[in-house]
Amino acid sequence: MGRLTTHVLDTANGCPGEGISIKLFKVDAGGGVTLLKSATTNSDGRVDGPLLDGADFTIGTYMLEFAAGEYFRARGTELAEPAFLDVVPIRFGIADADAHYHVPLLLSPYSYSTYRGS
């Protein structure tokens, strides 16, 4: 069975993104979203277990939202109001229900990148 995992690296401070709130949504054909799960990253910048696995891991379009602004404010980082990056959405597709999809986020207050990890 497949699974979905994620982790966050704070590239501005050179450390794991600890304490970042994450929301996972399923995106329907019309573009509407349904919240599936909320989680918070641990001291290693990871979620303690898959965000999706087993029968819940199905082919479709999903979106992860990372509370970047909240994280940087909690670290004492001065951000403009509104912050350039407050909530970072990553919309992606799962095409193989038996594969491992890992969606990492490399994050700073003014940029981010992602890729399909392993």
Side-chain angles (χ1 to χ4, degrees):
M1 300 289 303
R3 69 188 188 280
L4 171 65
T5 58
T6 190
H7 78 274
V8 183
L9 297 174
D10 176 344
T11 57
N13 294 293
C15 61
E18 179 180 2
I20 297 178
S21 297
I22 299 171
K23 291 181 181 176
L24 172 66
F25 298 89
K26 176 86 183 242
V27 181
D28 66 33
V33 297
T34 301
L35 178 65
L36 299 179
K37 188 170 190 174
S38 295
T40 302
T41 57
N42 62 24
S43 62
D44 196 33
R46 299 177 183 276
V47 174
D48 293 329
L51 292 168
L52 279 179
D53 63 354
D56 294 328
F57 187 82
T58 59
I59 291 171
T61 302
Y62 295 84
M63 181 172 59
L64 286 167
E65 285 187 349
F66 299 84
E70 178 182 284
Y71 164 75
F72 284 113
R73 285 182 196 95
R75 285 188 58 89
T77 305
E78 285 192 39
L79 301 176
E81 286 301 332
F84 181 70
L85 295 176
D86 195 20
V87 175
V88 174
I90 299 175
R91 189 167 165 162
F92 59 97
I94 291 176
D96 182 352
D98 294 320
H100 177 197
Y101 283 74
H102 183 67
V103 182
L105 178 65
L106 305 165
L107 181 63
S108 85
Y110 295 96
S111 68
Y112 69 92
S113 64
T114 190
Y115 55 94
R116 181 173 174 194
S118 58

